[in-house]
Amino acid sequence: MENQRTIAAVSTPQAPGGIGIVRISGSDARQVADLVFRSKSGKRIAELKGYRALFGAVYTGNGEKLDDVVALFFASPRSYTGEDVVELSCHGGLYVTKRLLQEVLAAGAVPAGPGEFTRRAFLNGKMDLTQAESVMQLIGASGEQAARAAEAASSGVLSRKIGRVRQALLGLSAHLAAWADFPEEEVPEVEEGELTGGLHKAEEELSDLLAGFDTGRAYREGLKTVIAGRPNAGKSTLMNLLSGCERSIVTEYAGTTRDVVEDTVLLGGVPLRLADTAGIRETEDPVESIGVAAAKERLKTAQLVLAVFDSSQELSSEDRELMDSLKGIPAVAVVNKTDLPAKLEDSVIRNNFRHVAYLSASSGEGLESLKKEVSEILDIEHFDPADGVLSTERQRQDANRALKAVKEALEALKLGLTYDAVTVCVEDAISALSSLIGERVSDEIIDQVFEEFCVGK
Ligand code: GDP
């Protein structure tokens, strides 16, 4: 365990609340706390065993009582940071927690930097880097699925998954090394089938992990979604239906939605970052053409397009133009106004889209079918956030590097290269996975990870 200075910070939000907690961590945590805290019973925190609490009060340097406080002691190594930790819980006023922290710092602790408690937990081997990152995501999670994913990662599901792949590759690498180093010994020859099989399995598992990254990100950040369609198809009405309230101007005249309006809505648990755009229509109107240009621009970068068609009208050239511009973009066709007599030939739509939802945006009838199509397109049915998902760009890059190296190893085998060449690739993959869980990473990377944390965590 590293011998570091004892740190302290307010660990509860900087807002009024029922209780506020000042957390102190380090080898002097108890001595520091005993300087500001006096228990009712007269017992000192230094006399406590781990997981014990004392009730008492905190006094300022000149002897004035600041607040009633419960002191909790967690003994090293069985604490969050792995060091001795004391938590002082006071009443949650901003002033009181701030004053309490000042007293603790005056008693000898130094202010904790952003994420420093979690950083110490990582350095003391209490968690790996993916777990530390998920602590931060758990704090920031707003949706249930994102929180479940972060919880799973924080409890080590992701680490174990990565660990299994790494272990399997280490096995292959050890076998290859033993066979290459001691050819005259009784090391059984490496079976090419076994090697290929092991590598294919690693390839599959890493590919799965990487595929989950995109879905996980959709849950965390929302999908950039564009509602497109010709004027009057019902885009604004659909947007309002999804938002559950009036957000953009709806009128009976074609071409009145001029600017791009953004809004985040939850559809079947997935946050969609929606942009309602003016219809995709060539126009002379200078005001509207800004909207149209913006719509076309946005289609290019959309992660999901809801293409709205008016089922009470025949298919127009604009509708066809929209269909053409959606090639290769994940899109759900929304056949709208199903409450009106149908004039639209929906076979054309079906031929152009794998996902088609029928609904009436004005009444909300059929919204379920849209939810179903959206979750299918994202393959949400097969996504279980509790299964362990990669969740940061850093993690994705390392997993990608590992996958690339495994593929190169397979390629080397296929080309009949020497086992030395294969070994180099396998070792590359292992090193990428080590870096993924935070073994053998540079201080710079560790700094980057913890920079984004808040103080007190
Ligand atoms: P936008 O130009 O694509 O944004 O279309 P709007 O949302 O402004 O809708 C155009 C017109 O169609 C409005 O009068 C809406 O009330 C109407 N409308 C939209 N959805 C429906 C629907 O499902 N059924 C019916 N009957 N009318 C609808």
Side-chain angles (χ1 to χ4, degrees), residues 302-364:
Q303 293 169 301
L304 176 69
V305 176
L306 304 179
V308 185
F309 299 93
D310 184 340
S311 70
S312 70
Q313 305 287 323
E314 279 166 21
L315 207 67
S316 71
S317 56
E318 290 157 287
D319 290 332
R320 288 179 199 280
E321 195 193 326
L322 173 62
M323 282 195 251
D324 290 341
S325 61
L326 287 177
K327 299 250 148 50
I329 301 173
V332 176
V334 180
V335 177
N336 186 33
K337 307 194 191 180
T338 50
D339 55 304
L340 298 177
K343 275 201 197 151
L344 184 78
E345 278 260 15
D346 75 333
S347 57
V348 185
I349 308 270
R350 295 212 147 267
N351 287 340
N352 274 275
F353 294 89
R354 285 240 305 276
H355 300 274
V356 184
Y358 293 84
L359 62 77
S360 163
S362 55
S363 75

Side-chain angles (χ1 to χ4, degrees), residues 230 232-237 250-251 257 336-337 339-340 360-362:
R230 67 178 159 92
N232 265 340
K235 299 180 296 297
S236 312
T237 313
V250 185
T251 65
T257 317
N336 186 33
K337 307 194 191 180
D339 55 304
L340 298 177
S360 163
S362 55

Side-chain angles (χ1 to χ4, degrees), residues 171-172 175 188-200 413:
L172 290 180
H175 196 152
E189 190 176 335
V190 184
E191 290 270 342
E192 195 164 318
E194 182 199 325
L195 205 51
T196 322
L199 288 170
H200 272 306
L413 274 176

Side-chain angles (χ1 to χ4, degrees), residues 9 72 149 220 222-223 230 290-291 296 300 308 363 370 399 421 435:
L72 271 166
R220 276 192 316 282
L223 279 184
R230 67 178 159 92
I290 295 170
K296 282 195 172 166
K300 284 190 210 144
V308 185
S363 75
L370 179 58
S435 143

